[in-house]
């Protein structure tokens, strides 16, 4: 069952994000390796054969959880890019299309898994703990005290994304000079918010709370906003980031949790 859950989770992540218009080949590659990390975490991380090799592989596979952070950055970047472009062009029914697309790409699989799980549990005289929180996309706020079925625990990240999907269109509609200030504040406050959670609630609260990932979502939105502004200064900075080995090593260190 752990292997099946890992396959479904990784596949849903990959397809759900690559289906967003505007993905470039490098973004698809990043999404693929992010999904591969999640698969490795779900399969290898759940087994502990008594060999040193497998234990080392399991330790590396545990880093697959950071693939979720990568998806947060990618999705917020793409969605912000699309919305800012459509708002600037004055296209009609922007918000209707946005929310319809998000619902059609996430809800069928999400609620399908949840409904099958609840019905299957009832057939065996059992229940799915916290199913109401899952159904309202708020499970990530209570996951630390209300653990659900093992195959549904990964859905905390979908809940966090759904909550941020409500914020992205609001910020995309405001002026850039206001948006970037809000995003910088969100990015800067994320570490402090995580420390507050650590001192108040046990793990996995610090990992599952939406506020713990404001820097990932904020970074994606900030990069998309800067790209949309198209200033010469940002163009030079972007070229430097793309060619700098120091920037690449820093990004790798941050993404691996160092």
């Amino acid at each position: 069952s752990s292997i099946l859950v890992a396959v479904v989770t990784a596949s849903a992540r990959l397809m759900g994000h690559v289906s967003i218009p505007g993905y470039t080949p490098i973004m698809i590659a990043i999404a693929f390796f992010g999904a591969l990390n999640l698969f490795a975490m779900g399969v290898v991380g759940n087994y502990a054969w008594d060999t040193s090799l497998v234990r080392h592989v399991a330790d590396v596979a545990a880093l697959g959880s950071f693939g979720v952070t990568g998806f947060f950055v990618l999705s917020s970047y793409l969605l912000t890019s699309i919305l800012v472009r459509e708002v600037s062009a004055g296209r009609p029914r922007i918000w209707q299309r946005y929310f319809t697309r998000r619902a059609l790409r996430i809800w069928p699989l999400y609620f399908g898994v949840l409904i099958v799980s609840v019905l299957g549990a009832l057939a065996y005289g059992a229940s799915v703990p916290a199913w109401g929180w899952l159904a309202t996309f708020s499970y990530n706020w209570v996951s630390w005290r209300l653990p659900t079925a093992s195959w549904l625990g990964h859905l905390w990240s979908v809940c966090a994304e759904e909550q941020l999907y409500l914020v992205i269109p609001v910020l995309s509609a405001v002026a850039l000079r206001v948006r970037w200030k809000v995003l910088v504040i969100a990015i800067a406050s994320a570490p402090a918010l995580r420390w507050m959670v650590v001192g108040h609630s046990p793990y996995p609260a610090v990992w599952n709370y939406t506020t713990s990932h404001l820097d990932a979502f904020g970074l994606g939105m900030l990069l998309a906003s800067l790209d949309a502004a198209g200033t010469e200064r940002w163009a030079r900075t972007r070229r430097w980031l793309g060619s700098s080995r120091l920037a690449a090593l820093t990004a790798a260190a941050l993404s691996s949790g160092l």
Side-chain angles (χ1 to χ4, degrees):
S1 61
S2 297
I3 295 178
L4 178 60
V5 171
V7 171
V8 172
T9 302
S11 301
R13 279 287 175 193
L14 181 60
M15 297 306 297
H17 285 78
V18 174
S19 63
I20 300 175
Y23 253 78
T24 62
I26 186 62
M27 291 179 181
I28 293 176
I30 293 173
F32 170 78
F33 284 108
L36 188 63
N37 282 341
L38 292 177
F39 174 78
M41 180 183 66
V43 175
V44 182
N46 282 314
Y47 293 93
W49 294 288
D50 192 20
T51 67
S52 58
L53 175 61
V54 172
R55 284 197 297 271
H56 288 310
V57 173
D59 290 339
V60 174
L63 294 176
S65 58
F66 288 96
V68 175
T69 304
F71 282 127
F72 286 167
V73 176
L74 283 176
S75 62
S76 59
Y77 175 86
L78 264 298
L79 292 174
T80 302
S81 298
I82 294 170
L83 287 173
V84 169
R85 185 167 57 248
E86 292 190 345
V87 170
S88 300
R91 297 189 62 182
R93 299 187 299 172
I94 296 174
W95 314 123
Q96 179 181 342
R97 286 199 305 275
Y98 171 81
F99 287 111
T100 299
R101 288 171 180 170
R102 292 295 87 212
L104 291 177
R105 286 171 178 161
I106 297 175
W107 289 12
L109 180 58
Y110 181 89
F111 284 109
V113 171
L114 184 58
I115 291 172
V116 169
S117 298
V118 172
L119 293 179
L122 290 175
Y124 284 93
S127 62
V128 175
W131 69 268
W133 295 95
L134 286 164
T136 55
F137 296 106
S138 54
Y139 174 68
N140 62 310
W141 294 105
V142 298
S143 58
W144 61 275
R145 62 181 178 86
L146 291 177
T148 187
S150 60
W151 63 90
L152 297 177
H154 297 84
L155 296 182
W156 72 264
S157 61
V158 180
C159 296
E161 278 190 299
E162 287 292 293
Q163 294 160 30
L164 266 298
Y165 287 162
L166 298 176
V167 178
I168 289 176
V170 175
L171 290 178
S172 299
V174 302
L176 176 61
R177 64 179 181 276
V178 176
R179 189 189 319 137
W180 78 263
K181 293 177 182 177
V182 173
L183 293 174
V184 168
I185 292 173
I187 294 171
S189 64
L193 292 172
R194 285 193 287 267
W195 275 109
M196 291 173 60
V197 175
V198 168
H200 179 267
S201 304
Y203 189 85
V206 66
W207 182 245
N208 292 2
Y209 278 12
T210 307
T211 50
S212 296
H213 299 278
L214 288 181
D215 43 4
F217 284 101
L219 178 61
M221 292 193 68
L222 182 61
L223 292 174
S225 299
L226 292 171
D227 282 351
T231 63
E232 180 58 31
R233 177 183 296 181
W234 172 241
R236 290 196 302 268
T237 303
R238 218 179 190 285
R239 286 194 293 270
W240 177 82
L241 290 173
S243 60
S244 171
R245 294 182 180 179
L246 176 61
L249 290 173
T250 302
L254 291 173
S255 64
S256 63
L258 299 180

